[in-house]
Amino acid sequence: MQKLLATVQQIFDEEKFIFEPHELYEPIDYTLRLGGKRIRPLLLMAANQMFGGNDEQVRYAAIGIETFHNFTLLHDDLMDKSPLRRGKPTVYRKWDENTAILSGDTMFAMAYQYFLRQPHEQLQQILSCFTRTAIEVCEGQQYDMNFEKRDDVTLDEYTEMIRLKTAVLLAGALKIGALYAQAPAQDIEHIYQFGIHLGLAFQLQDDLLDAYGDVAVFGKQTGQDIRDNKKTYLYLQALQSATNEVKQELKQIFESTPQDSEPKVKRVLEIYDAANTRQQVEKAINSEFSAAQRSLDEIQLPEEKKAPLQNIMSTLLGRKK
Amino acid sequence: MQKLLATVQQIFDEEKFIFEPHELYEPIDYTLRLGGKRIRPLLLMAANQMFGGNDEQVRYAAIGIETFHNFTLLHDDLMDKSPLRRGKPTVYRKWDENTAILSGDTMFAMAYQYFLRQPHEQLQQILSCFTRTAIEVCEGQQYDMNFEKRDDVTLDEYTEMIRLKTAVLLAGALKIGALYAQAPAQDIEHIYQFGIHLGLAFQLQDDLLDAYGDVAVFGKQTGQDIRDNKKTYLYLQALQSATNEVKQELKQIFESTPQDSEPKVKRVLEIYDAANTRQQVEKAINSEFSAAQRSLDEIQLPEEKKAPLQNIMSTLLGRKK
């Protein structure tokens, strides 16, 4: 995985993102060089290699998928009015709202331009997969915004939202990598399902770590979702398990924004603990992890071919097979 | 042209634009059903027919190009804080800013989905043309925003801006129509150039009509660009021809926003008249019109095949060959 990640990093280092007018492209270059884990290009290239592809074949597809992902972050940060991304000012803060809108739009078009840069027999399938994924990511963001205004969101609805907002793009990246390598149809379906379950496990774990993570490992303050009144899987799980009285209390807490948020975070974690929330979310993560593993196992390739993806999954989810 | 326009209208009437979540798709349906002149799908289908294509082949490409165009209007209206579009509230006013951002993003992806709906041998060329056009339209919008903050924009820079912001999409629509019909390479280049000159003439005429148009024909109040301090081709042309003294006066007027704008509009038109602005802009329009005509003449097809495009050009520019 480290070698592949270095390749991905090198591809980005070698690519030029600034053109004229520079007012349009500087925020794009800034965004694409902020770093991040580069998970999507990593998955795309790993899937491609697994099915016998080669780095050069998916060089621009790797840039394309990450450019799309960064475009969604850029617009999401504007919609959510987030001040920081990866510890740096977000584009709409560093520049302005119009710059965030237009540079984002341009990145979306650039993503297609990267995919189109190399001819490929399966181009229609590749771009159809990418486009369907893009639309689903937008739908996921809309459900996320809808859910902020609702107080009756179910766990199933939440799962469907994170499937659209997060999982389909990991799955799409894997599928596109496999399509470039002309993998067999049933394996393409398996790798897509692997990505969906991996994505769900990854997002649920992100929810869990926000409340229970080791600050040193997680890299950000815990309890932020609680402070932000974000109705995560934990919140919905606790609501489902709690008594009517506690349910009312939890709903009320998630409508408040006290000056000193520490008592609020503490009380919510007490409620989560009393409702066994952590264990239940871990169960859900395990279930997605196992489903991902089964999908990977279904792929008709020797184990050593699957080792890199197995490795990425272990690293992302912090656990072994 | 009327028959083709009816076909375009029918294609939109038959298409469904509302899916779940409806909060995302209702603004899209609203935007795509606001009407407008449907010039881009009309040009795409006309070019396709001219080179022997058929309506069914470009049905979804026609929807795709208009969906893209409407996406740019949706985001432009938000960036420009325009309250109305075609006499109706703009999306960011009727809903909110986040809806305008996200529904717009989704429309951009939908545009690709329409293009991808039918397989085509030349798909890579078609989508490369579309994508390059999309990027250029974004660049044009950025130049437009840059120019608002500058007071030294030249006529050449302005022309390049409207080429990117307006003309390339008309040219791209024509080229895509021709690509679907597998037109010869040199004719594809001619039809593209035809579109560029047609687009420039069309935009310059729009600038001219805003100042000198017949309200009954033009459909909106004249002098609006002057009220909005919009530095159009007329303004830049007048600046270039005027004495230093008048130049200063004109610049000052374009920094003011008086309660009663009528004296302002009147004085600017006096300056334009004294500088022969109208005649000079008409000369520029004629020059683009002639260049468009030459490009159309270069195409290796009998005159009767070209009649529909000739007709569309005449209607758009209100003049005969």
Side-chain angles (χ1 to χ4, degrees), chain B residues 41-182:
Chain B
L42 191 68
L43 289 173
L44 193 153
M45 295 190 83
N48 179 257
Q49 277 191 5
M50 184 169 81
F51 290 110
N54 66 76
D55 288 1
E56 275 315 300
Q57 183 184 54
V58 288
R59 177 186 185 90
Y60 295 111
I63 304 179
I65 202 87
E66 183 74 357
T67 302
F68 170 76
H69 173 58
N70 279 269
F71 143 68
T72 67
L73 298 182
L74 208 166
H75 276 194
D76 281 5
D77 285 342
L78 171 59
M79 290 187 268
D80 300 341
K81 299 283 181 280
S82 306
L84 295 174
R85 166 71 58 188
R86 295 172 183 141
K88 296 274 183 69
T90 50
V91 167
Y92 95 95
R93 283 278 183 110
K94 192 174 160 77
W95 285 274
D96 53 40
E97 299 199 357
N98 285 357
T99 300
I101 295 169
L102 194 60
S103 292
D105 292 346
T106 308
M107 285 173 85
F108 194 3
M110 284 168 75
Y112 279 99
Q113 202 170 44
Y114 281 117
F115 281 112
L116 287 159
R117 202 144 142 183
Q118 287 173 307
H120 196 278
E121 262 182 61
Q122 317 254 33
L123 194 66
Q124 185 176 21
Q125 267 185 279
I126 289 165
L127 289 176
S128 296
C129 172
F130 174 59
T131 303
R132 189 187 152 188
T133 303
I135 290 176
E136 288 180 332
V137 170
C138 292
E139 291 174 349
Q141 171 70 1
Q142 183 67 52
Y143 281 119
D144 198 12
M145 298 196 306
N146 289 353
F147 290 176
E148 282 175 30
K149 296 173 197 153
R150 280 176 50 190
D151 73 343
D152 60 348
V153 177
T154 65
L155 280 172
D156 279 354
E157 285 179 314
Y158 183 83
T159 306
E160 173 63 4
M161 184 275 283
I162 60 173
R163 185 184 75 83
L164 292 166
K165 193 171 165 170
T166 303
V168 298
L169 188 54
L170 302 192
L174 288 159
K175 179 170 171 176
I176 289 169
L179 282 168
Y180 269 99
Q182 317 235 30

Side-chain angles (χ1 to χ4, degrees), chain B residues 279-320:
Chain B
Q279 289 72 14
Q280 288 179 291
V281 178
E282 278 171 351
K283 210 176 126 190
I285 296 172
N286 285 337
S287 157
E288 295 302 338
F289 182 85
S290 302
Q293 188 63 56
R294 279 195 304 276
S295 296
L296 192 59
D297 290 344
E298 292 272 6
I299 293 170
Q300 297 298 314
L301 282 175
E303 285 301 303
E304 78 259 24
K305 286 275 181 196
K306 299 180 193 174
L309 268 187
Q310 192 77 59
N311 192 352
I312 291 173
M313 174 161 79
S314 301
T315 308
L316 280 182
L317 299 178
R319 67 181 72 189
K320 295 241 180 292

Side-chain angles (χ1 to χ4, degrees), chain A residues 115-146:
Chain A
F115 281 111
L116 287 160
R117 201 143 141 183
Q118 288 174 306
H120 195 280
E121 261 181 62
Q122 316 254 33
L123 194 66
Q124 184 175 23
Q125 266 185 281
I126 290 165
L127 289 177
S128 295
C129 173
F130 174 59
T131 302
R132 189 186 153 188
T133 303
I135 289 175
E136 288 179 334
V137 170
C138 291
E139 290 173 351
Q141 171 70 1
Q142 183 67 52
Y143 280 119
D144 198 11
M145 298 196 308
N146 289 354

Side-chain angles (χ1 to χ4, degrees), chain B residues 159-214:
Chain B
T159 306
E160 173 63 4
M161 184 275 283
I162 60 173
R163 185 184 75 83
L164 292 166
K165 193 171 165 170
T166 303
V168 298
L169 188 54
L170 302 192
L174 288 159
K175 179 170 171 176
I176 289 169
L179 282 168
Y180 269 99
Q182 317 235 30
Q186 65 272 34
D187 283 348
I188 285 175
E189 184 52 29
H190 292 316
I191 197 122
Y192 188 82
Q193 290 307 326
F194 166 74
I196 293 291
H197 295 298
L198 176 70
L200 290 174
F202 183 66
Q203 185 58 53
L204 293 181
Q205 181 163 278
D206 204 59
D207 285 5
L208 191 70
L209 287 175
D210 190 89
Y212 293 103
D214 182 334

Side-chain angles (χ1 to χ4, degrees), chain A residues 1 11 61 81 96 129 138 140 145 148 152 159 211 223 225 292 297:
Chain A
M1 176 178 166
I11 287 173
K81 298 282 179 283
D96 53 39
C129 173
C138 291
M145 298 196 308
E148 282 174 30
D152 60 349
T159 305
D225 287 344
D297 291 343

